[in-house]
Each structure stands twice: as structure tokens, then as C-alpha cells.
Amino acid sequence: MSSSAKDARSIDHFFSAPSGRHDRWRDLHSIARSWANGDAKRAAVESALEDLAVLEEFHAFPGTELMTALRERLKNDDKPGFLALAKRISLDIITGNYKQDAGEWQKADLALPDPADVLPPALGETRAYRPYFELLTVTPAPAARWPHIASEFRRLRRQEDAFIYESVLVGSLEDAVCAAILNPDIAAVAIYEGFALRSRHDAPVLRNVLATQHPLLLESDEADLSLRLAAGLKAIRPELDIYLLSDRRVEKLAGDPRAAIIRRIMYQIEEPLELHLSLLEGIKARFETPFFDNLKLYAQRPIATFHALPIARGKSVFRSPWIRDMGQFYGINLFLAESSATTGGLDSLLEPTGNIKRAQDMAARAFGAEHAFFVTNGTSTSNKMVLQALVAPGDIVILDRNCHKSHHYGLVLSGAQPFYVEAFPMAEFSMYGAVPLRTIKKALLDLKSEGRLDRVKMLDLTNCTFDGHIYNTRRVMEECLAIKPDLIFLWDEAWFGFARWSPFLRPRTGMGAAADIEAWAQTQGAIEQFEKQRAELGNAPSADKLLQTRLIPDPRAIRLRVYQTNSTHKSMSAIRQGSMVLVRDVDFHTIEAQFHEAIFTHASTSPNQQLIASLDVARRQMELEGYGLVMNAIEVALDIRREINSHPLISKYFSIVGADGMVPKEYRSSGFVDFLAPGTRWDDQLRSMREDEFCLDPTRMTLVCGTAGFDGTSFKGLLASEYNIQVNKTSRNSVLLQSNINNTRSDVALLISVLLKICGSIDTRLKHGGEAEQKAFAARVKALMKDVPDLPNFSHFHEFFRQDAGDKTPEGDIRTAFFAAYSEKQCEYLPIDSPECDRRLKDGPDMVSANFVIPYPPGFPIMVPGQVITQETITFMRKLDVKEIHGYEKAKGLKLLKTDVLAGKKSANHEKARKK
């Protein structure tokens, strides 16, 4: 085997662990078939089996008995027997039948498993099913005793157990880390003291990663090795339950503050049944869904409803000859679970005190927050709730101008003034990236120089962006807190909620970074770092010096206030419009009342019960299997990238833009190029995640279609109408593909086959169409890929809406501008192609937008109320070839505020609007 092949299959090459395992078993099966047919030598089978055997040490199935049986059949040249057993194990791993059928663990049974039943049961059908998980057991016992230990755990099973588990045994810290990363079925860890530090296998990448990410794990001193391992595993997979078994004074060990992350510490000699019961109880604590469980019980009760919800209990539906088909389509439980009541086992979403409150508390625990709030009308509402609760008229909010419209409208409603900051442009794709940290720091320092820093309340950014740009959230917050220690952060992570369950992505979430900053601030080293930098900077460092310095905040002064909004429905198994607000705010108690007022303002008094239940269930799923699901979503995305960019025909017309094409070089200090660049390894990606100012979410893929002659909108329509493939956002010359926990490799195969078919038709058309067709195609590609309009930056607010602004800072009173347009007498319309438009751009008076103008694509406001319209913006609009532009009526033209409204002194109406 070549060195590169060995590296790709080393135990610490983790990026494609789940399907990589499946592929290796299929490879073994294929080689075994060739050996049985006389087309391959036994040495090839031996090599494939031993290569795979290392990986299988970190999984409970197929286990020692079946692996030994494989080796014996290979040793005895039993070609048919080896082939049959390899095929059965391979199919078992793919179908997952071994998780429910004990017979699949027996070497004597060579019958092939039935296909896994993944369809929902028919009406009235019930299935006996107990969820399966695996227990990682870290033990100092010799490997020869491991099968006996596993069998002892198996003997503890009882029929009344709600869950089934099998054991994975390892003997070292490094192997425990490998198992936790490679095996998504592991849900709990039992650590017996006395295990070794180093793996029996070579793991250079793992050691390099641990040396930089978790250096304390690899210290040669074996004192407190168990606590160090527990901390390391929690850092990688915080959802794991950890149990520590010791023969020392467990009472003293339990009092160690570092042991707080361990679910239970037990005396090693005690009855193993106690550990078994604790394991099941720990899983049950995550499996419980308080609201969903109560909703199911509610639906089983005979209830007469005398409230305003006729479809509750379903009588109006199932007794109707006209709408009965709706009941048949959705099923009876949907209607039995409908209610306007907040009693009788249910709860109020507006003021939860029962099972909704418990469900929200469990969600907070799962997402690493202090508080979580369920929202049933999308993250648009979540964002407006947070803004209303935290900012007031006259406050300044530093805001990405290209963020979702809900943030802009939230400022209109709250009366706070936006200080727009610009993201780096990607004109070739008609999209923006993310806002550079230098731009954010400059905004804060400019406000400080004007004596207005006290007015700045919040930094509001989108993480990750629609197109996959992820901020270095920790660095952004630390450097901003170094300038303003009480700054509030709102991270709109509508598309990024799943990232909590990826060790690669979690540190870049708002909650993940907040936890890291909080832990750092409590160390003595944090104070030393700050004091050292303060001495280096001196008493009055210049703004330019501060812009060039990686600032460290004073850990004694900072007030860590972080809010994160997640569209749970966008990346987890929640019903559409299911969202959450996550809070980690040291001062939340001071604004809790106004936060609840914001909930009362925006939340429906009749929230959908099924939607609330789906948020509860989505949390359960992610806590118990989210790690594996997210790993699969990343792997699916990498497969798509690989197949499209390497296919000889598809790559002629389509491509997935790499990280180097999405993130400019100056923001990639690690030198990372792309996930699939030659020589790129897992630790390279981790270094990028740790160091770079921006990195790219691997699950979000910009597919360039302009090189195939398609604009984004028409290509999206083609895929949907002709091939039943739905994609996400579009740009002038691209569409956005997004992998998620729902996708399978079959989806990838469908996408590739469709792209191949489209490319074949293009090839045929160009071949038979002659020179004229080829010239027309080249002109179309040039128009889409080269003749792209420059992206317009935010210009400025008209001076009429800046009477409370700084002299050199660009904030403005967007609320007054917005409501000024409510009077048609104060507005006029002007077509963008008219001579009058050109004259006013040249000679004045200023054209001032009366409303938001949002073209789709690109989907961000190119005009906001009160903004002075410039030549740059008009040129962009004239070059747009999209049909959907919110806030713009082509027949009328731009909606503008009249010049005489903006001239002279403030009117009484204007003063009244400002006070509101």
C-alpha cells in the first residue's frame, strides 16, 4: 500500500468515517468474491481484512467472535465460508439489523439479513422497537479479558429495559478518543481507572490535533488521567454521559471541581448492575421529550372541546364528505393532538411553567445555553424578539447590511439606529461574504472617538451566512469586548443550528465560543495575557495600532452577553417555522421581564402544538444521534464536491467553488485551500477552523451553473420541474446546494446522474449546432460569468435622518424614515430608466428611498428607508435580470420620499415620530 493510501485509511483520518467503514466492508466483500472466483490472491484478502480490523476495534459489531471466525475461514482457505460471512456482516452494518436482532451476532447464522424497515407503520400497526446505543468502556484489563467484560454487560439486560446497548472496549486514552470520534453510536462512556495513555496503533494526525487542541490530554504524567480523558471527551462530544469507576476514595474524587462533568462516580468493586441502571437512566434523561410525551397522552384522552378550534379531535374533518380526504392524508393523531388549551397536561408557550418549560430547559442543556425559548413562527420572529428585548430608541446596533431582512425590520420596530458595516464582496457570483473583523473594530473605534461608544448596544451578524461563511466567533467577541466590555452579541445562526454536534464546527457557534471565552476568563492565565498586552500597547494606543493588534479583553471587566437564533427546521427534524432563541447572558436577569414582553409582542397566542412537539423531538434526536447525522451530512457534501469537480464531463460545465474561491486569501492565515485539495488532511481543516478569520461550512456548496449557460433562477427551475431536485438560494450564475441530516448517498447519485444528463445534452447541442450555436453559448457564458454588475455598498442616510448621529459615523434613524412613507402624500415614484432619474443622480436633489428594496437574488436590501440612492445602486438595478424584487414596482418605479418633506426644519409630525 502506498503512503498516501495508508494515510487515507489511518485510524485517525476521521472526515468520512461512517460511509468509509461501509465502503471498506464492501471492498472486502468484493475482494473475497474475486478470491472465491480465482481472480485474486489470498494476500489481498488478508491485507483488506487487517486494514479494516483496526477500525472495527472501535465498534461493538461485528465483535470479537465474528472477526475471529472471518480470520479462521481465511486461514483455512474456506473461500465460500469467508465470502458468505463477509457478505452477511457487510449487509448487517449497512442495514443496522444487528441493533435489533441478537442472531446477527452469531457466527453460525449465515442467512442474509432482511432489508431494514425504514417506512412508518401502517395505521393501527405497532412495532416492538428498543433504541440501540454503544457504551465505550475504557479499561486497564488485558485485551484477552475484553470479550468476557462485554458478555458480562450483556448478561445484565432485562426485558423491561427501554434501551439496548453493546460495549466497545479500549485500553488507552488515545484509543478512547479515536472511538468517540469514529463511532457515532457511542452514547455513554465508562472509565475504569488505570488505563494507558498511548494507543497500540499509530495515530500521528490524532496526536498532532490533540497537541494543539487539547494539550493536557497528552501530558506524560498519568496522574488524573481519568479526569483529563473525561474533559477531552466532553470537549469533543458534550452530549456523552460519562461514568468514572475508581478503587480510590471516590468520595474525595467526587468533590473535585473537575469531576462536575461526570454524570456519576462509582466505586469500582460495587455491583455492575448499578452501572447498568445508571447508563439506562442517563439515556432516558436525553430520550425524554416532556411536551411531546404529554401531547401523545393528551391525544389518547376522550375530551369534549368547547373552544375556538373546530378541527380539534377531528370530528369536523372525518364526519365531512367534503374534506375527509385531509383527515385521511394527515391521519387521526394530528387532530387528536390539536387544542387551544394550556391545561390538562399541556402548557402555555407564552408563559410556560410545565412541560414546555422543561422541554426548553432540556434544549438549553443540549445547545450549551443558559436559557432556550421555542418560537413557532420562524427565526424572522426570533430575531425581532431579541432586538426588541435588548435595544431601545437611540441605541446603536452595528449590523451587517446584507443580513436577513428581519434584522432591519427589528430595528425599525425598536427604534434603534443601524450602523451598517459591509461584508467583503464576491462580485463574480453576485453575492457578499461576511464582515471583516477589521471593519467591525473600526466601527467601534470610530464611535469611541466621537464619544458615542456608550450608545452602542449590540453587534448583530449572520453566522454562518447563506453561502457558508463562518465567523471566528470567539475572536470577534474577544476583540470587540476589548473595546466595549459590555457589548451584546446577536448571532443569527438560522442555517447553522446543527453545528453544535460537530467538534469541527461547534467552537465557531455563538454558544460554543461563549463557553470557551467564559472558561478562559476564569483562568489566571487570562489576566496575565491581558496585562502583558496592556503593557505592550501603553496607556493611549492609537486606533491604527488597535486595528492591527489581536486584542485581548480584560477578563475581569467583560460582561459576556451572547444570543443565538437557530432555525431548527432548517437543519434539524423540526416542522417548518420551528425556531429557538438561545441565551448565554450574564445580565439576563436584568432584562428577563422585557424579554418576555418581546415574546408577548411577537408570539402567537395560538401556537401550533405539533410544531412545539417537533422542536422537542428535534432536540432529542440531536442529543442521541446528532453527532453521526452531522458527520454524514458533511460526508455527503464532500462526496458531491468530489464527484462534480472530478468528473470529466460534468466538470466541463459545472463546478463547486472551493474554500479558496469563497474566502479571500487574506482571511485564510492557515493557508487552507479546500477540503479536497491534494494533500489536505483532517488536521489541516481543524487548523483552518481554529485560526482563520473566516472558514467555509462544508455542507453548503455553491454550484456554478453560469459556465453551463444557465442563470441561477432558470437552473433552479429546470432541476425542480424536469428532474424533481430542489435546491436552495440562487445567484446570477450559481445555485446553492445544501446537504443536511436528511440526505443519503442515493441523493448524491441522483444529482450526479442529472448533471451528467444535462451536460450530455449541452455537449450534443454544441456538437450538432455548429459554429453559430457555439458562439451563442460562449456569449451566454460570458454574460453570466464576466459581465457581472458591481455590488452596491450602502451609501449613507440622508441628513434629515442623521440629526442624532455622529459627525463621522454613518448610523441613521431608520424608524422615522420607514414610517414617513406611510403617508402617500410624502412619497413620489420615479422609474429607474427615466431621464429624470439620471438628472437627479447628476444634479440633485437627492433621491431618498422610502422603503426596503430587496432583489432575489441576491436577497439583501440594496436600499433601506432613508438611504440616499447613488449611481452605483441604480446601475446595479438596471443590470439585474431577476423577476422578484421586493419593495419595487416596475410600473411605478422607485418609491422615494419627497424633497420638500426632507427640506428645512423638522416638522411636528417628524418630531412626534422620533419620540415614538
Side-chain angles (χ1 to χ4, degrees), residues 480-500:
C480 289
L481 289 170
I483 301 171
K484 183 173 174 55
D486 61 347
L487 187 65
I488 302 172
F489 300 90
L490 170 54
W491 296 102
D492 180 346
E493 300 193 1
W495 301 92
F496 205 46
F498 72 94
R500 171 71 184 174

Side-chain angles (χ1 to χ4, degrees), residues 612-909:
I612 301 170
S614 76
L615 290 169
D616 200 8
V617 171
R619 185 276 312 156
R620 175 213 280 177
Q621 180 182 38
M622 298 309 288
E623 272 205 295
L624 288 166
E625 59 176 337
Y627 175 79
L629 292 173
V630 172
M631 189 185 294
N632 180 73
I634 293 174
E635 186 176 1
V636 164
L638 295 179
D639 282 346
I640 292 173
R641 293 171 184 274
R642 181 184 301 107
E643 295 303 319
I644 290 177
N645 287 347
S646 65
H647 194 283
L649 180 57
I650 296 176
S651 61
K652 283 177 60 177
Y653 300 105
F654 296 96
S655 62
I656 302 287
V657 185
D660 55 339
M662 296 294 290
V663 180
K665 189 175 182 179
E666 61 263 35
Y667 306 121
R668 290 181 285 112
S669 61
S670 70
F672 182 75
V673 176
D674 194 31
F675 307 100
L676 300 176
T680 297
R681 302 195 315 178
W682 183 70
D683 51 335
D684 297 324
Q685 171 62 11
L686 267 185
R687 188 170 62 256
S688 173
M689 291 284 182
R690 186 176 63 252
E691 299 175 4
D692 290 346
E693 181 170 344
F694 302 112
C695 56
L696 191 64
D697 174 7
T699 69
R700 305 183 73 74
M701 298 154 280
T702 297
L703 175 68
V704 179
C705 57
T707 44
F710 297 104
D711 65 81
T713 302
S714 64
F715 189 62
K716 176 181 178 179
L718 173 69
L719 291 177
S721 61
E722 299 293 329
Y723 300 104
N724 294 322
I725 291 178
Q726 296 178 346
V727 299
N728 216 315
K729 168 184 174 288
T730 66
S731 78
R732 179 181 177 86
N733 50 28
S734 71
V735 297
L736 179 69
L737 307 178
Q738 180 186 6
S739 65
N740 55 52
I741 65 172
N742 184 62
N743 287 122
T744 65
R745 299 175 79 177
S746 297
D747 296 331
V748 179
L750 174 62
L751 175 65
I752 297 304
S753 65
V754 166
L755 292 178
L756 182 60
K757 186 178 297 185
I758 293 172
C759 291
S761 67
I762 295 173
D763 243 18
T764 300
R765 189 177 75 245
L766 293 177
K767 180 178 179 181
H768 297 297
E771 185 177 351
E773 181 69 30
Q774 293 168 14
K775 284 185 176 180
F777 179 80
R780 174 68 173 160
V781 170
K782 181 177 181 294
L784 290 169
M785 300 301 299
K786 300 296 183 183
D787 301 336
V788 293
D790 289 332
L791 293 169
N793 286 333
F794 176 77
S795 54
H796 57 275
F797 285 106
H798 189 273
E799 286 304 311
F800 187 79
F801 304 109
R802 284 182 39 79
Q803 297 180 40
D804 188 34
D807 293 335
K808 300 179 181 178
T809 52
E811 68 273 17
D813 183 1
I814 195 171
R815 176 186 174 91
T816 298
F818 180 87
F819 285 108
Y822 272 38
S823 170
E824 282 295 319
K825 293 180 180 179
Q826 298 187 121
C827 299
E828 62 180 328
Y829 292 88
L830 186 64
I832 62 172
D833 292 321
S834 66
E836 177 64 8
C837 180
D838 289 326
R839 187 196 66 76
R840 287 186 62 174
L841 285 172
K842 181 180 178 182
D843 302 323
D846 287 338
M847 297 187 293
V848 179
S849 181
N851 58 356
F852 290 100
V853 177
I854 309 173
Y856 287 85
F860 58 82
I862 60 172
M863 300 179 202
V864 304
Q867 176 184 343
V868 174
I869 300 171
T870 62
Q871 181 70 61
E872 182 184 33
T873 303
I874 294 298
T875 300
F876 181 79
M877 284 199 70
R878 287 171 175 172
K879 290 185 177 181
L880 277 175
D881 55 1
V882 299
K883 298 179 180 178
E884 186 178 356
I885 305 179
H886 295 182
Y888 174 72
E889 298 180 59
K890 189 174 182 179
K892 292 184 176 181
L894 295 172
K895 187 176 183 179
L896 307 175
L897 292 172
K898 287 183 177 179
T899 302
D900 58 355
V901 174
L902 305 174
K905 297 181 179 180
K906 293 183 289 184
S907 66
N909 287 337

Side-chain angles (χ1 to χ4, degrees), residues 31 35 40-48 73-77:
I31 294 171
W35 179 46
K41 295 182 179 180
R42 195 178 81 170
V45 183
E46 289 175 342
S47 176
R73 294 176 189 194
L74 181 60
K75 180 180 179 181
N76 295 331
D77 282 333

Side-chain angles (χ1 to χ4, degrees), residues 571-603:
S571 64
M572 290 165 269
S573 299
I575 295 174
R576 188 162 182 81
Q577 293 192 19
S579 176
M580 295 186 193
V581 178
L582 305 174
V583 181
R584 202 176 183 110
D585 180 356
V586 69
D587 292 327
F588 185 72
H589 64 284
T590 66
I591 59 94
E592 188 169 4
Q594 63 204 54
F595 193 92
H596 286 293
E597 285 293 334
I599 292 176
F600 298 155
T601 302
H602 294 280

Side-chain angles (χ1 to χ4, degrees), residues 117-128 327-333:
D117 192 353
V118 296
L119 295 177
L123 186 64
E125 178 189 355
T126 59
R127 296 177 188 159
Q328 293 169 340
F329 180 78
Y330 284 110
I332 184 65
N333 281 338

